[in-house]
Each structure stands twice: as structure tokens, then as C-alpha cells.
Amino acid sequence: MRSPCSAIVACVLVLLLHCVNGEDPYRFFTWKITYGIIYPLGVKQQAILINGQFPGPQIDCVTNDNLIISVYNYLSEPFLMSWNGLQHRRNSWQDGVYGTNCPIPPGKNFTYMLQAKDQIGSFFYYPSLGFHKAAGAFGGIKIYSRPRIPVPFPFPAGDHTVLAGDWFKRSHRQLKLILDSGHNLPLPDGLLINGRGWNGYTFAVDQGKTYRFRVSNVGLTSSINFRIQGHTMKLVETEGSHTLQNTYTALDVHLGQSYSVLVTADQPAKDYYVVVSSRFTSPVLTTTAVLHYRNSFTKVSGPIPGGPTTQVDWSLNQARSIRWNLTASGPRPNPQGSYHYGMIKTARTIVLANSAPWINGKQRYAVNSVSFVPGDTPLKLADYFKIGGVFNLGSIPDQPSYGNGYLATSVMSADFRSFVEIVFQNWEDTVQSWHIDGHSFFVVGMDGGPWTPGSRSRYNLRDTVSRSTTQVYPRSWTAIYIALDNVGMWNIRSENWARQYLGQQFYLRVYSPSNSWRDEYPIPKNALLCGRALGHRTRPL
Ligand SMILES: *[C@@H]1O[C@H](CO)[C@@H](O)[C@H](O)[C@H]1NC(C)=O
Ligand SMILES: *[C@@H]1O[C@H](CO)[C@@H](O)[C@H](O)[C@H]1NC(C)=O
């Protein structure tokens, strides 16, 4: 129920900030961003907290809810929050990366106005500037289906968020300094589950009941594997797609990815290990949390169940087994498979090859040889105010040349409503994880070796999942189909935080000449201005 007070606030906000949809419910959040001390690996560290919490507060909402999130920056440095997997229909103004938004200066506040438009599923938010993500300030986002939309499984007895990932004892400043000085990061010091180290977090369950676990990899550099001692997991959702409900004993979750699994507490009453281990790393890092049966008096014991071997094949086969349930509904009542993505002709093929060039004596990372450097003004604002010299369209090629790496503020142009094939080609020995803001895409294929046009004959054009983050295995390719149905300036990036920080990212400008509110919302009146956008106006005189 909405209180009269929040309804009035909503109306005022609608008037003040031309809020996007007055019909749908509003949820209000006030977040105070501060430094704080945490000891997740037994060592004192400075963290970035939200309302005193690490990880930050959970966002629970329903499809189409408006989320009004006021962020107060009490840090001594600029800050921005971004939303992994939220699509921001027509509204890249709210994406919260430096290419779209000015940072919130120290001591200032900014109110994000998001809408979970036509979305369901499991996502997370994170701080996007510098290496803030290494200090926390991330949290889970659950978007529930609207009441009368059928969900393809019984309502679970509980819904647990699992924010897992690698962790460093060094501060975000120290890590940034290492990268700024031209070096790669060392191995992480450990893994955390919901901000805690070994057996530091407990998931309580009632024997016989079934629970949803929403697992996101919020780490910086490592793929992880998730499993629960003595229990199987039924996969039901990935980043907003209801999946075929396959059963797994262990699940690979690559950087930035989110999965929902159902776990039934159908074992003898005792406590069990919830295990997360790193993938494709040497050594393998492991941590555990506790699955506690409420009627248990027996602490966790026995060997910690081992993860899969480091072989890529196991992971690749699992990835291929994750498919869309064509008869389940998504955010709307119609079946997911009623959108026949495999029958649409692609208008363009973009091949993106990652590399790790040294440029000016420093380790950098690049896409099609271009290592991204931020402009002096957010690209979206430079575009809107027609400020020249910040970026050039076409500053990153559509195809790799495999030439020497160079620095640029790379922006690729694309037509609104075009249907595009993107191939991620990885010639490096490490697994990659790629994310596209503002969209979800169909992962039509992945395999070892070079992608060729002949690879298309093996695409899954029927029931692959639609998601916003995909892995690319070492010396392999992954191909996606994407409907560019969202006008804006959208970040395409490595979810490996060292790689994106050192240039493995660029922006895709999805452009419509119509200049209509139906395609893109106007600049918010509260938009922060900075760089060469200072002195411009967010509303007409
Ligand atoms: C947030 O910042 C704006 C602009 O700086 C200011 O007008 C507003 O009063 C601030 N809100 C609060 C509650 O402090
Ligand atoms: C797919 O969804 C339907 C509709 O909700 C459900 O009945 C069915 O069990 C699901 N199928 C699989 C294989 O997961």
C-alpha cells in the first residue's frame, strides 16, 4: 500500500522531474554513502557502505515499478551508482556510468528515477567509478512478476540473495594505483558470500520447503562456481529469462551474471556448506556459507564438495544446456518464445575482439585495438548539448584489424530498431565476460576457435536465453543477436573490473532521428552537469 504522503511526494516528483509513468507504483529509497570499516577476511579494511550496510540494501520491486533512489554522497570523492541489467527504457540518463552521468560530487546528492519497465528477474547494482566496486556499495535487485502474471514454479518459501565474488584486502585506492601505474592486479585474496568470509553467512531453511537462491557474481576478476553440499539446484531464471528447469549440482557464474535456482531442503536435518570457488584460476580460491536447517543441531561438517575441474568443456556444455522455457511467461502473460528471434534477419554483423596491448609502457586492455579512455564530459551530455571534440562516432571499427592498440574515447553508432549480430572473439587465454547496458540479447552460440560465417549453422535459433551478460571462453567465440530497441548511449564493457577500467569497453550510440519522447525521454531536470556541459541548461529558458 502506498501512503498518502508518498503519493504526494510522487506527484511533486512527477511535476518537478517529469517522472516517467504516473500509473505505476513508486518505491522510494534514501541512501547515504559513507566510508566504514569492515573485516570480511579478518583484516581491517575501508569499505563504502550504503546506510551503514555492506553489502548494500536489497531492492525488491515489481515489473514496471518506479524506483526513486536518492543517493547522498558523504565520501571525499565523486560517486556514481549503476544498475547491472536494468534496461532503463528510453532513459540512458539514469544508467549511472561516467559515459552517461556526471559523478555526484562529495557532499552532494542525486535522485535516480528508474523504472523496472517490462522486466522480471535477478540483477544487482554497483558503484561504477574508479575501483569503488572493490570497496562494496553493491546490492541485489529482485524484480517480481506482477500479481496476475503466471510464474512457472510454485511460490518459494523464501527468496535468498547470494552476492558472491572475489575480494582483495587492498583498498580500492591501492588497487586503482596498481592499474594506473601500468600493472595488472595480483590474484584476489579470497572470496566473499554476502560480504562475509568462511561460514560467515547463514541461509536458514525449513526442512521440506523449497527456496529460491538468486546468485550474482559481483566480483572483480574471477568466474565462480556455486554449489550446495548434499543438494541439487533447479535453474529457473537467468537475468530475466525463465529457463528450462534443468537440475545441476554445480553452476558456473561468470563476472556480472545472475541466476536463480530453486533448492529444496530435502536432506536430513543438519547444516550444509554453501560453496563458492573460483574458476579457471590457479590456485582455486574457495569460501563457504552455511545452509542451516532450522531443526538442525549439527554444525557443518565433512569434506567441502569439490567444484568442476578447470576444463572449459564442462562449463561450455553447461552454458549450452541453459535454455529458454518457450511456454513460460516473462514480464507479460504471453509465452517467452512468442518472440521468434531466430527468424529475424540481422542487419549488421559486428565482431569484437579483446586484447591486452601495452600502450605507452602501460598494461591496457582493448576492443578491436581501441583502448577506451573517458572523455572530459559524459558522452551522453556531450551528444545532447552538441559539444564537439569529446568523442567521434565511428571511433571504433566494426571488425578487428588485430593492429597495434591505441587510446580513444570510442563510440560506435547504431540505428534504433536494427537487429544486429555481435560476435565476441577471444584470442586470449582467459575467460571473458561481456555486458551490454540498456538491452538484453540472445546468446545464439559459443564455441572454441575462430568464428566464421559457417559458425552460424550451429546457432541455437529456437530457445536460447535472453540476458545481458555473456561469457566468452579462452580462444573461443560467443555470438549474440540483439534488438537495438532502446535509444541512448549504452556502455558495452568487460565485467572484469581491471579490464574495463583499463579500456576494454566502449559506448554504443543507439540513435533515432525522430527526436521524440516516444523514443527517448528528455534530459532529467535534475541532471548533474560537469566538464564542458557546465553552464548548459537542462530545461528551456
Ligand atoms: C539534494 O541536492 C539538491 C541540489 O543540490 C538540493 O536542492 C536538495 O535540497 C538536496 N536534497 C536534500 C534533501 O538535501
Ligand atoms: C515451462 O513453463 C511451463 C509453464 O509455466 C511449465 O509448466 C513447465 O514445467 C516448464 N517447463 C520446463 C521444462 O521447465
Side-chain angles (χ1 to χ4, degrees):
M1 284 295 285
R2 219 197 303 165
S3 70
C5 172
S6 67
I8 290 166
V9 176
C11 295
V12 170
L13 277 168
V14 170
L15 292 173
L16 270 181
L17 309 163
H18 39 75
C19 240
V20 291
N21 194 334
E23 309 273 293
D24 295 306
Y26 283 77
R27 290 175 199 265
F28 296 90
F29 302 83
T30 302
W31 285 357
K32 295 195 161 72
I33 312 298
T34 61
Y35 297 115
I37 299 296
I38 57 171
Y39 303 78
L41 292 176
V43 177
K44 184 172 163 176
Q45 284 184 271
Q46 188 189 58
I48 298 178
L49 308 179
I50 304 176
N51 295 347
Q53 299 172 41
F54 167 66
Q58 174 75 33
I59 294 181
D60 288 342
C61 63
V62 175
T63 302
N64 291 354
D65 280 359
N66 294 291
L67 308 174
I68 311 298
I69 306 175
S70 293
V71 176
Y72 290 79
N73 178 12
Y74 292 104
L75 308 179
S76 58
E77 54 197 311
F79 184 83
L80 269 184
M81 194 63 92
S82 190
W83 323 90
N84 218 64
L86 288 204
Q87 288 178 4
H88 311 296
R89 310 298 305 172
R90 305 175 234 174
N91 206 358
S92 66
W93 305 111
Q94 308 291 337
D95 200 24
V97 288
Y98 179 66
T100 60
N101 292 71
C102 293
I104 308 170
K108 300 284 189 218
N109 68 74
F110 176 69
T111 299
Y112 289 89
M113 281 161 296
L114 316 174
Q115 193 183 16
K117 183 75 182 152
D118 290 339
Q119 287 195 269
I120 56 154
S122 313
F123 308 95
F124 63 92
Y125 61 84
Y126 67 94
S128 67
L129 292 185
F131 239 66
H132 287 173
K133 200 181 174 195
F138 47 72
I141 302 174
K142 297 175 187 171
I143 310 177
Y144 292 98
S145 298
R146 282 173 293 162
R148 276 171 293 281
I149 307 296
V151 173
F153 46 88
F155 201 74
D159 194 319
H160 293 293
T161 293
V162 184
L163 300 170
D166 54 14
W167 190 258
F168 291 84
K169 291 176 182 169
R170 289 179 175 85
S171 72
H172 72 275
R173 288 193 195 85
Q174 288 168 316
L175 294 172
K176 182 169 170 292
L177 214 62
I178 293 174
L179 297 171
D180 287 341
S181 65
H183 299 99
N184 213 337
L185 290 184
L187 268 181
D189 295 300
L191 300 171
L192 301 184
I193 299 174
N194 289 347
R196 311 286 177 83
W198 284 95
N199 296 335
Y201 193 90
T202 297
F203 301 95
V205 294
D206 289 327
Q207 198 173 26
K209 295 203 169 144
T210 297
Y211 295 83
R212 183 171 184 168
F213 286 78
R214 301 183 191 238
V215 188
S216 294
N217 184 342
V218 296
L220 299 169
T221 63
S222 317
S223 294
I224 57 173
N225 182 267
F226 179 79
R227 53 198 184 271
I228 303 179
Q229 183 185 28
H231 292 73
T232 58
M233 309 178 279
K234 196 193 267 189
L235 185 70
V236 292
E237 179 255 340
T238 173
E239 293 157 31
S241 292
H242 285 136
T243 62
L244 288 187
Q245 295 176 7
N246 299 329
T247 298
Y248 300 94
T249 53
L251 187 65
D252 275 354
V253 186
H254 300 278
L255 287 161
Q257 293 184 332
S258 301
Y259 287 97
S260 288
V261 293
L262 297 182
V263 177
T264 300
D266 55 4
Q267 296 299 306
K270 66 182 220 63
D271 290 359
Y272 297 87
Y273 288 115
V274 173
V275 190
V276 172
S277 58
S278 60
R279 291 288 275 139
F280 315 112
T281 62
S282 173
V284 172
L285 303 169
T286 302
T287 196
T288 57
V290 177
L291 182 75
H292 168 65
Y293 281 46
R294 288 202 176 91
N295 56 345
S296 149
F297 296 97
T298 313
K299 294 253 174 281
V300 282
S301 62
I304 292 166
T309 66
T310 54
Q311 284 156 15
V312 162
D313 284 356
W314 184 95
S315 195
L316 178 61
N317 286 335
Q318 178 170 82
R320 287 185 180 139
S321 74
I322 296 171
R323 290 181 292 145
W324 229 15
N325 181 339
L326 297 180
T327 56
S329 60
R332 292 195 210 87
N334 48 317
Q336 301 196 116
S338 59
Y339 179 64
H340 296 292
Y341 70 90
M343 321 251 286
I344 305 170
K345 203 171 146 42
T346 53
R348 176 177 174 188
T349 296
I350 298 167
V351 181
L352 301 173
N354 50 283
S355 59
W358 282 68
I359 302 177
N360 304 329
K362 291 187 170 179
Q363 176 71 69
R364 297 286 303 182
Y365 295 97
V367 195
N368 289 357
S369 304
V370 191
S371 185
F372 180 84
V373 284
D376 62 10
T377 305
L379 309 178
K380 181 68 199 163
L381 298 181
D383 202 18
Y384 177 77
F385 292 122
K386 300 189 166 53
I387 303 165
V390 178
F391 68 90
N392 292 313
L393 286 173
S395 40
I396 174 169
D398 261 29
Q399 309 285 326
S401 66
Y402 299 106
N404 289 338
Y406 57 96
L407 305 174
T409 304
S410 31
V411 179
M412 187 182 279
S413 56
D415 297 330
F416 180 43
R417 297 219 172 94
S418 59
F419 194 74
V420 172
E421 175 186 46
I422 300 179
V423 179
F424 297 103
Q425 179 76 60
N426 177 19
W427 286 119
E428 296 187 70
D429 289 325
T430 52
V431 61
Q432 307 291 315
S433 191
W434 281 98
H435 179 88
I436 301 184
D437 280 356
H439 296 81
S440 67
F441 49 73
F442 293 94
V443 185
V444 290
M446 49 176 78
D447 210 344
W451 177 89
T452 67
S455 307
R456 290 178 180 134
S457 65
R458 285 171 286 140
Y459 280 2
N460 177 353
L461 296 180
R462 204 181 90 84
D463 65 352
T464 190
V465 284
S466 171
R467 62 188 315 172
S468 52
T469 312
T470 186
Q471 71 272 39
V472 190
Y473 291 103
R475 305 193 161 273
S476 300
W477 56 268
T478 294
I480 65 168
Y481 280 0
I482 182 169
L484 298 175
D485 54 4
N486 201 6
V487 170
M489 185 71 79
W490 300 110
N491 192 214
I492 298 185
R493 64 172 171 272
S494 171
E495 291 279 78
N496 176 309
W497 227 239
R499 284 181 167 261
Q500 72 83 31
Y501 181 74
L502 292 182
Q504 191 177 326
Q505 59 166 308
F506 65 97
Y507 283 81
L508 186 71
R509 178 184 185 255
V510 179
Y511 178 71
S512 157
S514 78
N515 199 18
S516 149
W517 276 39
R518 275 175 40 215
D519 294 344
E520 186 177 32
Y521 294 139
I523 187 168
K525 289 178 180 171
N526 69 336
L528 297 171
L529 300 181
C530 58
R532 282 191 269 160
L534 273 175
H536 285 79
R537 304 182 63 88
T538 57
R539 57 191 104 181
L541 279 168

